[in-house]
Structure formats: C-alpha cells, structure tokens
Amino acid sequence: MSEVKFMVIYPTPADIAAFEKRYQEEHVPMAVEKLGGKTKFIATRVLGSPQGAAPFYRIAEVFFPSMAALEACAQSEGGKETLAHAADISTGGAPIFLIAESETFHFDAP
C-alpha cells in the first residue's frame, strides 16, 4: 500500500551542535504536536556517503494516509508554523522540501 510523505532535507548546518539542540528540543516536539493528520514521522541523521562527504545532514519524513491529508496539514496554522521553523533552523542553507509517494516492501530474514 502506498503512502504520501512530506520530506525535509537539511544541508549540513554551520554549527551541528546548535542545530541538533534546536532540532531535538524545538522542532521535533513542534512537528509531533502541530502536524495534524500524520501517521508516522521518521527523523534520519545522515552518517556518510560512499561517494565522499554527504551533501545533507538530516532527512525528515512525515507520512500521511492521503494527499488530501498532507495538503490539509500544510494549509493549517500548525503546518505553516512548523515549515517556517524548519527553514529557520537550517543554518547550512535552505532545506529542500519534497512530496513523494512511498511503497513499502517487506522481506523475510534469511
């Protein structure tokens, strides 16, 4: 079954410790509280790349059951506030915002 997700891709911040403090103490709680209609939130920290230095530091994925639910969240005051905060904490440059459809495939362990 496919889901719709909103992704925020953060460039490497100017000050990683300051970014992490704001991300963990301000942004994640705000997203949890104010992004209505979400079904899942995944916060990923990029550790590296086989191609050298990774151009991104964090990727946030917020899942919704439908495009209509994502659009309603984005148009809400809480959604607008959370998006503005994402841009505010991104000190390594503007974050990239994407909307994607996600399919999950499960495999049995050998």
Side-chain angles (χ1 to χ4, degrees):
M1 180 174 171
S2 65
E3 301 170 283
V4 177
K5 65 180 173 178
F6 184 77
M7 300 169 58
V8 182
I9 304 173
Y10 294 95
T12 302
D15 180 336
I16 290 174
F19 172 85
E20 278 298 316
K21 182 171 177 49
R22 292 192 70 198
Y23 188 78
Q24 297 294 336
E25 294 178 10
E26 297 172 18
H27 194 68
V28 170
M30 178 184 291
V32 169
E33 177 187 342
K34 297 190 178 207
L35 297 180
K38 69 190 168 308
T39 58
K40 180 171 44 177
F41 172 59
I42 299 175
T44 302
R45 187 170 55 87
V46 177
L47 299 177
S49 168
Q51 300 161 319
F56 304 107
Y57 178 71
R58 272 204 176 270
I59 302 169
E61 299 171 284
V62 184
F63 292 79
F64 295 87
S66 66
M67 182 61 83
L70 186 154
E71 289 170 344
C73 177
Q75 293 170 4
S76 72
E77 286 305 312
K80 291 175 187 175
E81 181 181 351
T82 305
L83 284 174
H85 192 265
D88 184 56
I89 67 171
S90 188
T91 60
I96 297 169
F97 299 112
L98 300 172
I99 296 171
E101 183 177 48
S102 175
E103 292 182 83
T104 302
F105 301 91
H106 296 276
F107 304 96
D108 293 329

